[in-house]
C-alpha cells in the first residue's frame, strides 16, 4: 500500500517539486494551496508525470480549513505517513508601507503562516500520523533562521526580521515536537532547501544558484529517510545546519 503524503503550499516552486519527488518515490501525494483551482491543476500536472496526486484547498492559518483537510484524509485514506510543512511567506517583501524595523502587518502575516499554521497542521494531522508505523514530519526551514549564522553574518548581510524570526521559531518547534514524539516513532526534521530560484522574493529568481527541483531534493530525502537526519535535527543538502 502506497504511503500517503501531504505537502502544504505545493502548487508551485519547492512545494510542487517536493510533491513530485515524493510521488515518484511511490507516495500518494496530497497537493494543497490557497486556490483550489491551482491545487487541482498542480495535481493534474503531477498525474501527467505518473504521480498519484490529489488537489485540495488549504489555508494553513485557518483551523477550519486545516481540519477539513484532515477529515478528507481520514475519509479517503485512513492515515497519513508524511507531513511536509512547506507553506511559507516573507511578507516584508510586500509590506503595506515603510517601517523603522519591520512593519507590524508583515510580522503578523509571516508568523501566522510560517509558525502558527504549522502548529495547526501538526495538531490536526498527528492522529492520522500516529496510525502508521513510521510517520515523518518535515518542516521546511531556512539557513536564515539559524541563530548561529545570523550572529556570524556580516552587518551588511540581508536582514528580513519577521521571516528570520519565524524560521528560528519553526526550528524550535522541530526540537520540542521531536521530544514529544520520541516514544512513538514519528520523526521530525527541519530542512534548509537553500537559496532557490522561485518567486518567493524579488531577488530569488535572478540571484539564486539552485533550481526548485534541487531545493526540493533534501526535503524529499528527509521525508523518505534517505539521508542521515536524526529526529530533532536541522539539515541541508550539505549536512547539518547549526541552530
Amino acid at each position: 500500500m502506497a504511503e500517503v503524503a501531504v505537502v502544504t503550499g505545493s502548487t508551485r516552486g519547492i512545494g510542487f517539486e517536493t510533491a513530485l519527488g515524493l510521488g515518484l518515490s511511490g507516495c500518494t501525494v496530497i497537493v494543497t494551496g490557497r486556490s483550489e483551482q491551482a491545487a487541482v491543476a498542480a495535481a493534474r500536472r503531477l498525474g501527467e508525470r505518473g504521480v498519484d496526486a490529489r488537489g485540495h484547498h488549504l489555508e494553513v492559518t485557518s483551523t477550519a480549513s486545516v481540519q477539513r483537510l484532515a477529515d478528507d484524509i481520514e475519509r479517503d485514506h485512513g492515515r497519513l505517513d508524511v507531513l511536509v510543512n512547506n507553506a511559507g511567506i516573507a511578507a516584508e517583501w510586500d509590506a503595506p508601507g515603510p517601517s523603522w524595523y519591520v512593519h507590524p502587518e508583515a510580522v503578523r502575516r509571516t508568523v501566522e503562516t510560517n509558525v502558527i499554521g504549522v502548529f495547526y497542521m501538526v495538531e490536526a494531522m498527528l492522529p492520522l500520523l500516529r496510525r502508521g508505523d513510521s510517520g515523518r514530519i518535515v518542516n521546511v526551514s531556512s539557513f536564515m533562521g539559524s541563530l548561529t549564522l545570523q550572529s556570524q553574518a556580516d552587518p551588511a548581510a540581508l536582514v528580513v526580521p519577521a521571516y528570520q524570526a519565524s524560521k528560528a521559531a519553526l526550528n524550535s518547534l522541530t526540537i520540542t515536537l521531536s521530544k514529544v514524539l520520541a516514544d512513538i516513532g514519528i520523526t521530525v526534521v527541519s530542512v534548509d532547501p537553500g537559496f532557490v530560484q522561485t518567486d518567493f522574493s524579488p531577488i530569488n529568481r535572478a540571484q539564486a544558484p539552485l533550481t526548485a527541483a534541487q531545493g526540493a531534493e533534501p526535503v524529499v530525502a528527509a521525508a523518505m529517510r534517505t539521508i542521515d537526519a536524526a529526529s530533532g535535527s536541522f539539515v541541508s543538502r550539505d549536512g547539518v545546519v547549526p541552530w
Side-chain angles (χ1 to χ4, degrees), residues 38-52:
V40 170
R44 186 180 304 114
R45 295 199 306 274
L46 291 172
E48 293 169 355
R49 303 281 295 273
V51 172
D52 182 10

Side-chain angles (χ1 to χ4, degrees), residues 96 117 166:
S166 75

